[in-house]
Amino acid sequence: FVKEGVEIGLEEKSREGIRDFLSRYSFDQVTASVHYLEDTDPYYEQYYRGKNWKEAYGRYLETLLRELKWLGPENFDIMGHFDYVVRYAPYPKESILYRDFPGLLDELLSFLADNGKGLEINTKTYKAYGLRTPQLDRDLMIRFMELGGEVIVLGSDSHKSRFVGDRFDYFAQYVKMFGYRRLGHFEGRRLKMVTI
């Protein structure tokens, strides 16, 4: 039995199309992410041009928060790869850390926690990109739980079959260290939790 999910790329200019798409189809789970802002994808150098790391990462998080609030909690289940922006960034600062954006991250994590939404741990983000290897911030994971968050979802962003579920065992044990005892997914848009 194969579940049907979709990842929605949030962007202000695409709001009408997103609403229309979601009204026409049904899925087991809907992941909402940002892949495009300021007329480019953070995969490309253009996004980072003229910005320091804090501006680049901060604008990405602000966009993610704004678009999730616009979409509304009734229309998605999981926030996808909140730190996608660090993968291809040109800065030595290789990770989004809670201590660098406490107010903004509190607002984002509280929005998820208050609405029972999932925080995706996207294992593709935590691989080596040249000389940089982004890390999942322990303080952010602890803070999500402090704010009432409990739905952790693992995603591999595989793009190729051999990477499906890549390093799920490792990250399941990693989040367990901070008190999370179950991982979530959605079936028919209903939360299902599985013990680690």
Side-chain angles (χ1 to χ4, degrees):
F1 170 49
V2 177
K3 306 291 187 295
E4 293 184 344
V6 66
E7 181 178 14
I8 296 292
L10 300 175
E11 184 200 8
E12 188 171 2
K13 293 178 182 177
S14 302
R15 286 179 175 181
E16 185 176 334
I18 289 168
R19 283 272 193 232
D20 178 61
F21 178 80
L22 289 175
S23 72
R24 288 188 289 122
Y25 301 98
S26 59
F27 300 95
D28 283 296
Q29 67 181 30
V30 176
T31 300
S33 308
V34 168
H35 303 89
Y36 202 81
L37 70 162
E38 299 181 12
D39 295 321
T40 190
D41 185 324
Y43 177 85
Y44 299 106
E45 186 272 336
Q46 176 185 333
Y47 173 70
Y48 306 96
R49 200 175 299 146
K51 300 182 186 76
N52 61 38
W53 68 266
K54 196 153 194 180
E55 292 168 330
Y57 299 171
R59 287 187 199 176
Y60 182 86
L61 292 171
E62 288 166 358
T63 301
L64 180 58
L65 176 61
R66 183 183 68 242
E67 294 306 309
L68 286 176
K69 286 185 170 182
W70 163 79
L71 183 61
E74 68 279 6
N75 292 311
F76 79 99
D77 306 304
I78 302 160
M79 177 182 70
H81 54 50
F82 70 93
D83 47 5
Y84 170 73
V85 68
V86 303
R87 287 187 195 171
Y88 312 106
Y91 317 111
K93 183 76 163 184
E94 60 192 10
S95 304
I96 287 182
L97 303 178
Y98 177 78
R99 68 173 178 258
D100 294 323
F101 302 97
L104 186 51
L105 286 169
D106 272 357
E107 195 172 352
L108 194 52
L109 297 175
S110 292
F111 181 71
L112 298 179
D114 292 347
N115 291 288
K117 300 304 172 184
L119 170 64
E120 183 196 52
I121 305 306
N122 191 300
T123 63
K124 185 176 181 178
T125 299
Y126 311 113
K127 295 183 175 184
Y129 292 88
L131 299 176
R132 304 167 66 260
T133 305
Q135 303 295 315
L136 176 58
D137 182 32
R138 63 181 302 279
D139 293 336
L140 187 143
M141 299 306 302
I142 292 168
R143 186 61 175 150
F144 184 49
M145 181 173 281
E146 288 173 349
L147 292 168
E150 58 181 354
V151 184
I152 300 294
V153 178
L154 297 181
S156 53
D157 213 344
S158 53
H159 291 238
K160 295 182 181 178
S161 60
R162 72 178 183 270
F163 295 126
V164 172
D166 187 39
R167 296 186 301 152
F168 276 18
D169 289 344
Y170 170 82
F171 281 98
Q173 294 308 309
Y174 182 79
V175 299
K176 193 174 182 179
M177 289 191 305
F178 307 119
Y180 296 95
R181 295 290 175 252
R182 299 184 298 167
L183 297 173
H185 69 278
F186 292 78
E187 297 178 16
R189 305 286 318 280
R190 292 178 182 232
L191 176 64
K192 304 289 184 181
M193 298 289 273
V194 178
T195 301
I196 298 174

